[in-house]
């Protein structure tokens, strides 16, 4: 038993690192799901786009930072495509995301040339890697590097959403009709929000591809479920504690970490790995449906004043 526990403890740092990397993606999902009030399924494709662009750029001899920047821009372009489908063509947001995601399957294959592209940590100067978890200098440790990424991203987003443009960006998700009445271009802000969201998702994909040592055409499959799970876990645990916008974003990253720690624990307990995505989907469904069930079955009806039957 002690040996099994030791196995779990040895696996936890890797799960923690993955949780941090996916936390960047979850923050991107939070921007569309909570701030824009848009169900964006583009992330299942844009995560792979970020990883594919980053790996192919590095394999062709480009610097890792330039590769990650280009990967982020590529992710923003996927968000632009979804935004134009939704605002310019009038396609519902969820269908627009599906169309972009479907298109990205072919685009990602063309970028990589095949379904999988590997990169060797010994030959290329990667920022993060699975091998940088233990027995490496602190400044090179994947946990620290990705944690710094998250802090910087949260700081930039906190500043950005505090500006006049950021306030206008939040308005369509709160009340689109009121925003338009105030002269805010809601279509522009939706497109911009989708671009920021998918840029973060692609950045997460670029880090994930480096971490695992390869980009794969299927690496983004189910990403939206993981992102939603992280958002829901973070909100459920910290909603009453974290009221500041920056802390809310931090809670999403923590939710992603907890998701992967639980994920690793479930694997350690011997649960069939083929069932893990099903379990994740059920957890998300329960949390999403709980407010409705609570209001429908567990909240007592309030008597209104002046009711003749009262």
């Amino acid at each position: 038993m002690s040996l099994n526990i030791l196995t779990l403890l040895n696996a936890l740092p890797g799960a923690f690192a993955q949780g941090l990397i996916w936390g960047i993606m979850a923050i991107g999902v939070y921007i569309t799901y909570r701030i824009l009030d848009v169900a964006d399924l583009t992330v299942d494709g844009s995560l792979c786009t970020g990883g594919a662009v980053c790996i192919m750029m590095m394999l062709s001899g480009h610097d890792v930072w330039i590769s990650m920047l280009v990967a982020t821009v590529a992710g923003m372009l996927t968000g632009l495509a979804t935004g134009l489908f939704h605002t310019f063509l009038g396609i519902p947001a969820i269908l627009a995301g599906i169309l972009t995601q479907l298109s990205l399957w072919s685009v990602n294959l063309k970028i990589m040339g095949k379904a999988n592209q590997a990169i060797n940590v010994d030959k290329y100067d990667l920022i993060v890697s699975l091998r940088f978890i233990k027995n490496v200098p602190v400044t090179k440790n994947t946990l620290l590097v990705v944690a710094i990424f998250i802090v910087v991203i949260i700081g930039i987003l906190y500043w950005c959403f505090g500006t006049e443009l950021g306030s206008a960006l939040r308005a369509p998700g709160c009340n689109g009709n009121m925003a338009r009445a105030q002269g805010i271009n809601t279509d522009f802000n939706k497109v911009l929000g989708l671009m920021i969201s998918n840029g973060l998702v692609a950045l997460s994909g670029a880090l994930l591809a480096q971490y695992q040592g390869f980009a794969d055409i299927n690496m983004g499959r189910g990403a939206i479920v993981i992102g939603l799970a992280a958002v829901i876990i973070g909100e459920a645990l910290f909603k009453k504690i974290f009221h500041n916008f920056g802390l809310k974003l931090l809670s999403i990253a923590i939710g992603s970490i907890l998701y992967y720690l639980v994920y690793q624990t479930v694997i350690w307990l011997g649960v069939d790995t083929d069932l893990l995505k099903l379990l994740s989907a059920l957890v998300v469904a329960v949390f999403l449906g709980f407010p409705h069930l609570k209001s429908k079955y567990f909240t007592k009806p309030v008597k209104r004043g002046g009711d003749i039957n009262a």
Side-chain angles (χ1 to χ4, degrees):
M1 184 64 182
S2 60
L3 183 60
N4 288 334
I5 294 177
L6 185 61
T7 302
L8 174 63
L9 293 176
N10 287 331
L12 288 183
F16 198 96
Q18 275 195 295
L20 282 170
I21 293 172
W22 282 89
I24 298 174
M25 184 276 302
I27 291 174
V29 171
Y30 177 82
I31 290 174
T32 53
Y33 180 64
R34 287 300 188 207
I35 297 178
L36 296 180
D37 194 26
V38 170
D40 180 31
L41 299 183
T42 313
V43 297
D44 279 20
S46 59
L47 185 88
C48 179
T49 301
V53 170
C54 181
I55 293 300
M56 295 310 295
M57 287 282 291
M58 293 190 68
L59 290 177
S60 62
H62 292 85
D63 178 77
V64 63
W65 293 101
I66 297 296
S67 301
M68 291 178 62
L69 177 61
V70 175
T72 303
V73 172
M76 295 180 73
L77 291 176
T78 68
L80 175 63
T82 300
L84 292 178
F85 282 152
H86 175 49
T87 59
F88 184 71
L89 297 180
I91 300 173
I94 190 168
L95 293 180
I98 291 173
L99 288 174
T100 306
Q101 177 197 135
L102 182 64
S103 303
L104 287 175
W105 176 272
S106 298
V107 172
N108 294 336
L109 275 176
K110 282 296 182 181
I111 291 172
M112 293 189 290
K114 56 182 181 180
N116 184 291
Q117 285 284 1
I119 191 165
N120 193 326
V121 65
D122 295 323
K123 296 181 180 179
Y124 295 89
D125 186 21
L126 305 182
I127 294 176
V128 296
S129 172
L130 180 60
R131 286 167 54 179
F132 297 164
I133 298 293
K134 300 177 182 178
N135 303 319
V136 294
V138 175
T139 54
K140 202 173 183 179
N141 189 285
T142 294
L143 296 173
L144 177 63
V145 171
V146 183
I148 292 173
F149 263 92
I150 288 180
V151 170
V152 172
I153 288 169
I154 291 175
I156 293 173
L157 290 176
Y158 180 77
W159 170 81
C160 176
F161 280 95
T163 63
E164 184 178 347
L165 177 61
S167 298
L169 193 61
R170 286 182 287 174
C174 295
N175 191 322
N177 293 329
M178 180 62 73
R180 282 187 288 272
Q182 295 296 320
I184 296 174
N185 188 334
T186 55
D187 286 348
F188 170 80
N189 286 298
K190 283 182 180 180
V191 173
L192 180 60
L194 286 165
M195 291 177 69
I196 294 172
S197 170
N198 284 282
L200 290 173
V201 173
L203 175 60
S204 175
L207 289 170
L208 181 62
Q210 292 179 61
Y211 176 79
Q212 62 190 15
F214 63 90
D216 185 85
I217 193 66
N218 293 314
M219 65 184 287
R221 181 171 294 180
I224 186 62
V225 175
I226 297 174
L228 288 174
V231 170
I232 291 167
I233 291 171
E235 289 184 335
L237 293 178
F238 302 103
K239 188 174 183 179
K240 294 183 178 180
I241 304 173
F242 292 168
H243 302 290
N244 178 276
F245 179 69
L247 292 178
K248 286 182 180 180
L249 295 179
L250 178 62
S251 72
I252 304 309
I254 295 174
S256 177
I257 295 168
L258 293 176
Y259 172 86
Y260 266 93
L261 291 178
V262 172
Y263 191 92
Q264 188 63 53
T265 304
V266 169
I267 294 175
W268 173 73
L269 290 173
V271 175
D272 186 354
T273 54
D274 292 340
L275 300 176
L276 292 178
K277 288 191 180 297
L278 172 61
L279 293 174
S280 299
L282 291 176
V283 168
V284 172
V286 169
F287 275 98
L288 288 176
F290 180 74
H292 172 72
L293 296 176
K294 182 181 178 182
S295 63
K296 188 174 183 179
Y297 297 107
F298 301 103
T299 301
K300 294 181 180 180
V302 179
K303 293 183 179 180
R304 297 180 180 179
D307 190 341
I308 60 174
N309 295 320

